[in-house]
Amino acid sequence: MIVKAFEETAHSREPRHQAGIVAERQMAHYLHRSFGEDQDVIILHGLRLEDRNQPEHDDSTGACQIDHLLVHRYGFFIIESKSVTEEVRVRSDGSGGDEWTRTYDGKELGMPSPIRQAQRQSDFLRKFLQRHREDLVGRQSFGFRTIAKLFTGTDQRGFKSAPIQIMIAVSDKGKIKRKGGWKEPSEPFQTYVTKADLVTGKITHELERHRKGAKSDSRRKHGKYGKWSMEAPEVERVAEFLADQHVDRLAVSPVARCKHRGSDALTAQSGRYGPYWRCRKCEENTGMPRKCPKCGADKRQGNRVRIRKDESAYWRDCKECGTSEAIWTEV
């Protein structure tokens, strides 16, 4: 069942950005073929959430862009599509993390970890849902209400322990090389780095683990799988809520304010160091945000993020993840 597929509105002429859009559409095709008729699964494509309660470092509104979100009775899957024409290599960083590189024209280049990127999306989504839990999910079952109130102070169910699993989908033409025996994280639930055409099979496998884990006679064998769940109406309610919360990044100009006086009476200008805002009240300058909300890259990291003007709009382009979004539109 597909609730909504949000169209890509931030068009870019750059081949790498276009390749990213193609990869996302290919993944959407695979998900639709496998789960389009499944009444227990709801899929959202291109979901963008914004939350003032999770601000960025510069106090701007926090944002979370998810390529594909699958909502099911036992939790969620975040599927992050990665356009790869040659090869990605993953290795341990020696302290429990993962280091990624990609080859392009025969050269090996560093790249942000898509797993860490998806984990940040997961944290954002969990906090976002948790704040609205009373409207989305009911209270604990009668037998557990007293225990829940004793340990958590409330008998309201929430999303703190909801499984949000991560799938990194590498485009079909790319290759994945795990260096030094690196393996995906398996706690508290399995993460996958896999080719795009294999993602739906992995999801089906994980859904079965949750279903088996939900049976009381096999919970010990399946660990945390199946211990958290929603009823069918709650699954639909959560998915519809998220769809309603989607923010089209080109729907309106983002609200920007002067960092000196807090005024929104700004005009966009360009100078020696690129575009910036000029306050009409105090005549001071405020820099346009140069941090990618999707992967966390910023200008200081080798000019990975840049601001450009295209007609009446100013765009923020990230070379790392291919995100291109309008951050200011002249009126």
mmCIF file of all heavy atoms in Angstrom, residues 87-119:
data_model
loop_
_atom_site.group_PDB
_atom_site.id
_atom_site.type_symbol
_atom_site.label_atom_id
_atom_site.label_comp_id
_atom_site.label_asym_id
_atom_site.label_seq_id
_atom_site.Cartn_x
_atom_site.Cartn_y
_atom_site.Cartn_z
ATOM 1 N N GLU A 87 32.382 1.631 -7.419
ATOM 2 C CA GLU A 87 32.501 0.771 -6.236
ATOM 3 C C GLU A 87 32.529 1.608 -4.970
ATOM 4 O O GLU A 87 33.095 2.695 -4.934
ATOM 5 C CB GLU A 87 33.797 -0.053 -6.335
ATOM 6 C CG GLU A 87 34.003 -1.035 -5.187
ATOM 7 C CD GLU A 87 35.268 -1.858 -5.384
ATOM 8 O OE1 GLU A 87 36.362 -1.360 -5.007
ATOM 9 O OE2 GLU A 87 35.166 -2.971 -5.913
ATOM 10 N N VAL A 88 31.861 1.085 -3.916
ATOM 11 C CA VAL A 88 31.997 1.645 -2.577
ATOM 12 C C VAL A 88 32.715 0.626 -1.714
ATOM 13 O O VAL A 88 32.523 -0.588 -1.875
ATOM 14 C CB VAL A 88 30.637 2.008 -1.941
ATOM 15 C CG1 VAL A 88 30.010 3.180 -2.652
ATOM 16 C CG2 VAL A 88 29.698 0.814 -1.912
ATOM 17 N N ARG A 89 33.551 1.139 -0.802
ATOM 18 C CA ARG A 89 34.303 0.271 0.093
ATOM 19 C C ARG A 89 34.024 0.682 1.529
ATOM 20 O O ARG A 89 34.033 1.873 1.853
ATOM 21 C CB ARG A 89 35.802 0.372 -0.213
ATOM 22 C CG ARG A 89 36.146 -0.049 -1.654
ATOM 23 C CD ARG A 89 37.565 0.284 -2.027
ATOM 24 N NE ARG A 89 37.819 -0.050 -3.438
ATOM 25 C CZ ARG A 89 38.946 0.235 -4.081
ATOM 26 N NH1 ARG A 89 39.941 0.877 -3.443
ATOM 27 N NH2 ARG A 89 39.085 -0.102 -5.356
ATOM 28 N N VAL A 90 33.776 -0.313 2.363
ATOM 29 C CA VAL A 90 33.445 -0.059 3.759
ATOM 30 C C VAL A 90 34.415 -0.825 4.634
ATOM 31 O O VAL A 90 34.701 -1.998 4.389
ATOM 32 C CB VAL A 90 32.002 -0.496 4.101
ATOM 33 C CG1 VAL A 90 31.556 0.143 5.403
ATOM 34 C CG2 VAL A 90 31.044 -0.173 2.974
ATOM 35 N N ARG A 91 34.926 -0.155 5.651
ATOM 36 C CA ARG A 91 35.858 -0.784 6.593
ATOM 37 C C ARG A 91 35.585 -0.254 7.989
ATOM 38 O O ARG A 91 34.940 0.790 8.169
ATOM 39 C CB ARG A 91 37.311 -0.493 6.202
ATOM 40 C CG ARG A 91 37.622 0.984 6.062
ATOM 41 C CD ARG A 91 39.104 1.236 5.776
ATOM 42 N NE ARG A 91 39.525 0.685 4.515
ATOM 43 C CZ ARG A 91 39.371 1.269 3.323
ATOM 44 N NH1 ARG A 91 38.753 2.442 3.250
ATOM 45 N NH2 ARG A 91 39.812 0.711 2.230
ATOM 46 N N SER A 92 36.071 -0.962 8.975
ATOM 47 C CA SER A 92 35.929 -0.513 10.360
ATOM 48 C C SER A 92 36.893 0.636 10.627
ATOM 49 O O SER A 92 37.997 0.678 10.075
ATOM 50 C CB SER A 92 36.234 -1.671 11.314
ATOM 51 O OG SER A 92 36.336 -1.210 12.649
ATOM 52 N N ASP A 93 36.475 1.575 11.468
ATOM 53 C CA ASP A 93 37.374 2.661 11.840
ATOM 54 C C ASP A 93 38.191 2.317 13.077
ATOM 55 O O ASP A 93 38.940 3.141 13.595
ATOM 56 C CB ASP A 93 36.599 3.955 12.063
ATOM 57 C CG ASP A 93 35.728 3.915 13.321
ATOM 58 O OD1 ASP A 93 35.598 2.831 13.929
ATOM 59 O OD2 ASP A 93 35.170 4.968 13.683
ATOM 60 N N GLY A 94 38.040 1.079 13.566
ATOM 61 C CA GLY A 94 38.818 0.616 14.712
ATOM 62 C C GLY A 94 38.191 0.891 16.054
ATOM 63 O O GLY A 94 38.717 0.456 17.087
ATOM 64 N N SER A 95 37.062 1.607 16.059
ATOM 65 C CA SER A 95 36.433 1.931 17.351
ATOM 66 C C SER A 95 34.925 1.724 17.296
ATOM 67 O O SER A 95 34.177 2.416 17.985
ATOM 68 C CB SER A 95 36.749 3.378 17.741
ATOM 69 O OG SER A 95 36.266 4.280 16.770
ATOM 70 N N GLY A 96 34.494 0.811 16.460
ATOM 71 C CA GLY A 96 33.072 0.495 16.370
ATOM 72 C C GLY A 96 32.325 1.247 15.289
ATOM 73 O O GLY A 96 31.135 1.001 15.078
ATOM 74 N N GLY A 97 32.999 2.167 14.601
ATOM 75 C CA GLY A 97 32.352 2.921 13.526
ATOM 76 C C GLY A 97 32.667 2.328 12.169
ATOM 77 O O GLY A 97 33.336 1.297 12.050
ATOM 78 N N ASP A 98 32.219 2.989 11.121
ATOM 79 C CA ASP A 98 32.450 2.510 9.763
ATOM 80 C C ASP A 98 32.979 3.647 8.906
ATOM 81 O O ASP A 98 32.480 4.775 8.967
ATOM 82 C CB ASP A 98 31.163 1.935 9.157
ATOM 83 C CG ASP A 98 29.977 2.871 9.312
ATOM 84 O OD1 ASP A 98 29.537 3.091 10.462
ATOM 85 O OD2 ASP A 98 29.472 3.371 8.296
ATOM 86 N N GLU A 99 33.980 3.363 8.093
ATOM 87 C CA GLU A 99 34.553 4.337 7.177
ATOM 88 C C GLU A 99 34.208 3.946 5.743
ATOM 89 O O GLU A 99 34.320 2.782 5.371
ATOM 90 C CB GLU A 99 36.071 4.412 7.346
ATOM 91 C CG GLU A 99 36.511 5.028 8.671
ATOM 92 C CD GLU A 99 38.019 5.167 8.756
ATOM 93 O OE1 GLU A 99 38.729 4.643 7.870
ATOM 94 O OE2 GLU A 99 38.492 5.802 9.713
ATOM 95 N N TRP A 100 33.832 4.938 4.947
ATOM 96 C CA TRP A 100 33.396 4.692 3.577
ATOM 97 C C TRP A 100 34.264 5.444 2.578
ATOM 98 O O TRP A 100 34.661 6.586 2.813
ATOM 99 C CB TRP A 100 31.947 5.157 3.396
ATOM 100 C CG TRP A 100 30.940 4.291 4.081
ATOM 101 C CD1 TRP A 100 30.790 4.100 5.428
ATOM 102 C CD2 TRP A 100 29.921 3.493 3.456
ATOM 103 N NE1 TRP A 100 29.758 3.241 5.683
ATOM 104 C CE2 TRP A 100 29.200 2.853 4.494
ATOM 105 C CE3 TRP A 100 29.548 3.277 2.136
ATOM 106 C CZ2 TRP A 100 28.126 2.005 4.235
ATOM 107 C CZ3 TRP A 100 28.488 2.428 1.878
ATOM 108 C CH2 TRP A 100 27.780 1.802 2.925
ATOM 109 N N THR A 101 34.536 4.805 1.465
ATOM 110 C CA THR A 101 35.164 5.460 0.322
ATOM 111 C C THR A 101 34.430 5.013 -0.937
ATOM 112 O O THR A 101 33.751 3.980 -0.939
ATOM 113 C CB THR A 101 36.657 5.107 0.182
ATOM 114 O OG1 THR A 101 36.786 3.688 0.008
ATOM 115 C CG2 THR A 101 37.443 5.551 1.405
ATOM 116 N N ARG A 102 34.554 5.800 -2.001
ATOM 117 C CA ARG A 102 33.965 5.425 -3.276
ATOM 118 C C ARG A 102 35.003 5.653 -4.367
ATOM 119 O O ARG A 102 35.846 6.544 -4.263
ATOM 120 C CB ARG A 102 32.704 6.222 -3.556
ATOM 121 C CG ARG A 102 32.917 7.693 -3.774
ATOM 122 C CD ARG A 102 31.599 8.469 -3.755
ATOM 123 N NE ARG A 102 30.621 7.960 -4.698
ATOM 124 C CZ ARG A 102 29.331 8.253 -4.672
ATOM 125 N NH1 ARG A 102 28.864 9.038 -3.718
ATOM 126 N NH2 ARG A 102 28.498 7.769 -5.582
ATOM 127 N N THR A 103 34.956 4.839 -5.392
ATOM 128 C CA THR A 103 35.875 5.027 -6.506
ATOM 129 C C THR A 103 35.148 5.748 -7.636
ATOM 130 O O THR A 103 33.994 5.453 -7.949
ATOM 131 C CB THR A 103 36.411 3.679 -7.024
ATOM 132 O OG1 THR A 103 35.316 2.840 -7.409
ATOM 133 C CG2 THR A 103 37.230 2.978 -5.941
ATOM 134 N N TYR A 104 35.858 6.703 -8.232
ATOM 135 C CA TYR A 104 35.304 7.470 -9.340
ATOM 136 C C TYR A 104 36.441 7.787 -10.296
ATOM 137 O O TYR A 104 37.454 8.369 -9.895
ATOM 138 C CB TYR A 104 34.658 8.757 -8.838
ATOM 139 C CG TYR A 104 33.952 9.542 -9.926
ATOM 140 C CD1 TYR A 104 32.754 9.097 -10.462
ATOM 141 C CD2 TYR A 104 34.510 10.719 -10.404
ATOM 142 C CE1 TYR A 104 32.106 9.805 -11.460
ATOM 143 C CE2 TYR A 104 33.873 11.440 -11.407
ATOM 144 C CZ TYR A 104 32.673 10.976 -11.936
ATOM 145 O OH TYR A 104 32.033 11.679 -12.920
ATOM 146 N N ASP A 105 36.297 7.367 -11.530
ATOM 147 C CA ASP A 105 37.364 7.509 -12.530
ATOM 148 C C ASP A 105 38.664 6.883 -12.035
ATOM 149 O O ASP A 105 39.755 7.411 -12.264
ATOM 150 C CB ASP A 105 37.593 8.985 -12.867
ATOM 151 C CG ASP A 105 36.480 9.556 -13.724
ATOM 152 O OD1 ASP A 105 35.764 8.767 -14.363
ATOM 153 O OD2 ASP A 105 36.330 10.784 -13.758
ATOM 154 N N GLY A 106 38.536 5.769 -11.333
ATOM 155 C CA GLY A 106 39.709 5.040 -10.865
ATOM 156 C C GLY A 106 40.327 5.581 -9.596
ATOM 157 O O GLY A 106 41.298 5.014 -9.087
ATOM 158 N N LYS A 107 39.790 6.679 -9.032
ATOM 159 C CA LYS A 107 40.342 7.268 -7.804
ATOM 160 C C LYS A 107 39.464 6.931 -6.611
ATOM 161 O O LYS A 107 38.236 6.909 -6.716
ATOM 162 C CB LYS A 107 40.452 8.789 -7.965
ATOM 163 C CG LYS A 107 41.409 9.230 -9.062
ATOM 164 C CD LYS A 107 41.453 10.750 -9.152
ATOM 165 C CE LYS A 107 42.401 11.206 -10.258
ATOM 166 N NZ LYS A 107 42.440 12.695 -10.358
ATOM 167 N N GLU A 108 40.087 6.677 -5.476
ATOM 168 C CA GLU A 108 39.349 6.370 -4.258
ATOM 169 C C GLU A 108 39.172 7.652 -3.450
ATOM 170 O O GLU A 108 40.148 8.307 -3.071
ATOM 171 C CB GLU A 108 40.081 5.317 -3.426
ATOM 172 C CG GLU A 108 39.274 4.837 -2.223
ATOM 173 C CD GLU A 108 39.933 3.664 -1.513
ATOM 174 O OE1 GLU A 108 41.082 3.326 -1.868
ATOM 175 O OE2 GLU A 108 39.314 3.092 -0.609
ATOM 176 N N LEU A 109 37.917 8.017 -3.198
ATOM 177 C CA LEU A 109 37.600 9.257 -2.507
ATOM 178 C C LEU A 109 36.803 8.957 -1.246
ATOM 179 O O LEU A 109 35.971 8.047 -1.221
ATOM 180 C CB LEU A 109 36.789 10.187 -3.415
ATOM 181 C CG LEU A 109 37.401 10.506 -4.782
ATOM 182 C CD1 LEU A 109 36.386 11.265 -5.625
ATOM 183 C CD2 LEU A 109 38.674 11.310 -4.629
ATOM 184 N N GLY A 110 37.029 9.723 -0.202
ATOM 185 C CA GLY A 110 36.275 9.551 1.027
ATOM 186 C C GLY A 110 34.844 10.033 0.872
ATOM 187 O O GLY A 110 34.540 10.877 0.035
ATOM 188 N N MET A 111 33.955 9.499 1.685
ATOM 189 C CA MET A 111 32.553 9.911 1.681
ATOM 190 C C MET A 111 31.968 9.703 3.071
ATOM 191 O O MET A 111 32.452 8.870 3.847
ATOM 192 C CB MET A 111 31.749 9.100 0.651
ATOM 193 C CG MET A 111 31.705 7.609 0.916
ATOM 194 S SD MET A 111 30.717 6.671 -0.303
ATOM 195 C CE MET A 111 29.044 7.187 0.131
ATOM 196 N N PRO A 112 30.941 10.477 3.444
ATOM 197 C CA PRO A 112 30.299 10.286 4.742
ATOM 198 C C PRO A 112 29.646 8.907 4.824
ATOM 199 O O PRO A 112 29.209 8.366 3.812
ATOM 200 C CB PRO A 112 29.248 11.400 4.797
ATOM 201 C CG PRO A 112 29.649 12.384 3.759
ATOM 202 C CD PRO A 112 30.338 11.598 2.686
ATOM 203 N N SER A 113 29.557 8.384 6.008
ATOM 204 C CA SER A 113 28.921 7.080 6.200
ATOM 205 C C SER A 113 27.408 7.195 6.005
ATOM 206 O O SER A 113 26.736 7.915 6.752
ATOM 207 C CB SER A 113 29.213 6.558 7.605
ATOM 208 O OG SER A 113 28.355 5.491 7.932
ATOM 209 N N PRO A 114 26.835 6.484 5.028
ATOM 210 C CA PRO A 114 25.372 6.493 4.863
ATOM 211 C C PRO A 114 24.664 5.886 6.074
ATOM 212 O O PRO A 114 23.515 6.244 6.355
ATOM 213 C CB PRO A 114 25.156 5.630 3.616
ATOM 214 C CG PRO A 114 26.467 5.639 2.903
ATOM 215 C CD PRO A 114 27.497 5.701 3.977
ATOM 216 N N ILE A 115 25.357 4.981 6.783
ATOM 217 C CA ILE A 115 24.742 4.389 7.976
ATOM 218 C C ILE A 115 24.560 5.455 9.042
ATOM 219 O O ILE A 115 23.496 5.560 9.671
ATOM 220 C CB ILE A 115 25.598 3.219 8.505
ATOM 221 C CG1 ILE A 115 25.584 2.062 7.503
ATOM 222 C CG2 ILE A 115 25.091 2.759 9.869
ATOM 223 C CD1 ILE A 115 26.449 0.875 7.922
ATOM 224 N N ARG A 116 25.603 6.269 9.279
ATOM 225 C CA ARG A 116 25.496 7.341 10.271
ATOM 226 C C ARG A 116 24.442 8.358 9.836
ATOM 227 O O ARG A 116 23.704 8.900 10.652
ATOM 228 C CB ARG A 116 26.848 8.036 10.462
ATOM 229 C CG ARG A 116 27.983 7.096 10.842
ATOM 230 C CD ARG A 116 27.661 6.275 12.068
ATOM 231 N NE ARG A 116 28.634 5.206 12.274
ATOM 232 C CZ ARG A 116 28.435 4.131 13.022
ATOM 233 N NH1 ARG A 116 27.282 3.982 13.638
ATOM 234 N NH2 ARG A 116 29.364 3.211 13.161
ATOM 235 N N GLN A 117 24.394 8.624 8.550
ATOM 236 C CA GLN A 117 23.398 9.545 8.008
ATOM 237 C C GLN A 117 21.991 9.032 8.305
ATOM 238 O O GLN A 117 21.128 9.783 8.783
ATOM 239 C CB GLN A 117 23.598 9.690 6.503
ATOM 240 C CG GLN A 117 22.556 10.537 5.811
ATOM 241 C CD GLN A 117 22.761 10.575 4.302
ATOM 242 O OE1 GLN A 117 23.853 10.300 3.807
ATOM 243 N NE2 GLN A 117 21.724 10.886 3.564
ATOM 244 N N ALA A 118 21.743 7.756 8.039
ATOM 245 C CA ALA A 118 20.421 7.171 8.290
ATOM 246 C C ALA A 118 20.130 7.090 9.789
ATOM 247 O O ALA A 118 18.967 7.210 10.199
ATOM 248 C CB ALA A 118 20.333 5.780 7.659
ATOM 249 N N GLN A 119 21.165 6.901 10.604
ATOM 250 C CA GLN A 119 20.956 6.882 12.050
ATOM 251 C C GLN A 119 20.509 8.245 12.561
ATOM 252 O O GLN A 119 19.670 8.338 13.461
ATOM 253 C CB GLN A 119 22.233 6.428 12.761
ATOM 254 C CG GLN A 119 22.503 4.943 12.626
ATOM 255 C CD GLN A 119 23.840 4.529 13.221
ATOM 256 O OE1 GLN A 119 24.747 5.348 13.392
ATOM 257 N NE2 GLN A 119 23.975 3.246 13.530
#
